[in-house]
Amino acid sequence: KNMSKNKFGIFSILSLIGIFFYACQSEEEITYARYYTAGKQLYENKCSNCHGNDGAGLAMLYPPLTDSTLLKQNKTKLACYIKNGLQGPIQVSGKNYEGIMPAQATLSDIEIAEIITYVTNSFGNKQGFYPYQQAGVDLQNCSN
């Protein structure tokens, strides 16, 4: 009887240690989760009308956000696209899109970073965390 109490006690302690380690996330993981969640809400309010809830785009007007290659190659330009809008044809996955992306000039650096974190980690994309400091740097380098 004493032996089974001992086993139960050891099992309980090991379980608590396991739960503790599982629950502990790094500061960056917590921040990423916060950005991703806020970015999803911003995306739904500001971007999904054109790009769709699933990131598939709209006909030949608005490109899909499912092309991870395009997003990776232009990651330092994404903040500029969001803040200043985008005009003219853009080619995504071999197709040309002519729609005009409206500027979201009122968004803060952190809101832009949240949207980028969400988009670049949704719709089949896995690019990791995009901090607001990077959005500030990228916005200073906009060509518009």
Side-chain angles (χ1 to χ4, degrees), residues 61-89:
L61 293 174
Y62 304 107
L65 300 173
T66 55
D67 186 332
S68 60
T69 302
L70 178 86
L71 293 177
K72 281 180 188 169
Q73 289 174 346
N74 292 287
K75 192 156 186 181
T76 59
K77 297 176 186 174
L78 296 177
C80 299
Y81 295 165
I82 294 168
K83 186 85 165 187
N84 302 321
L86 189 61
Q87 255 183 278

Side-chain angles (χ1 to χ4, degrees), residues 18 62 111 134:
Y62 304 107
E111 289 171 318
Q134 187 62 51

Side-chain angles (χ1 to χ4, degrees), residues 25-128:
Q25 293 179 309
S26 73
E27 187 69 33
E28 186 171 309
E29 289 171 322
I30 293 168
T31 304
Y32 166 83
R34 196 169 32 90
Y35 272 51
Y36 184 91
T37 302
K40 181 178 194 292
Q41 190 169 23
L42 285 163
Y43 176 86
E44 288 170 353
N45 292 333
K46 305 267 184 198
C47 315
S48 67
N49 281 347
C50 297
H51 292 288
N53 287 334
D54 58 359
L58 180 62
M60 295 306 291
L61 293 174
Y62 304 107
L65 300 173
T66 55
D67 186 332
S68 60
T69 302
L70 178 86
L71 293 177
K72 281 180 188 169
Q73 289 174 346
N74 292 287
K75 192 156 186 181
T76 59
K77 297 176 186 174
L78 296 177
C80 299
Y81 295 165
I82 294 168
K83 186 85 165 187
N84 302 321
L86 189 61
Q87 255 183 278
I90 183 170
Q91 192 173 73
V92 180
S93 299
K95 296 178 184 169
N96 289 320
Y97 294 86
E98 301 288 337
I100 296 172
M101 182 172 159
Q104 299 293 328
T106 60
L107 291 177
S108 66
D109 290 4
I110 194 163
E111 289 171 318
I112 289 170
E114 290 165 344
I115 291 171
I116 292 172
T117 296
Y118 174 71
V119 168
T120 59
N121 291 284
S122 300
F123 321 123
N125 301 303
K126 295 284 179 229
Q127 295 186 34

Side-chain angles (χ1 to χ4, degrees), residues 35 109 113 129-138:
Y35 272 51
D109 290 4
F129 179 55
Y130 179 87
Y132 78 90
Q133 297 93 331
Q134 187 62 51
V137 169
D138 291 346

Side-chain angles (χ1 to χ4, degrees), residues 13-23:
I13 290 171
L14 290 176
S15 294
L16 285 173
I17 291 171
I19 290 169
F20 175 76
F21 281 113
Y22 179 76

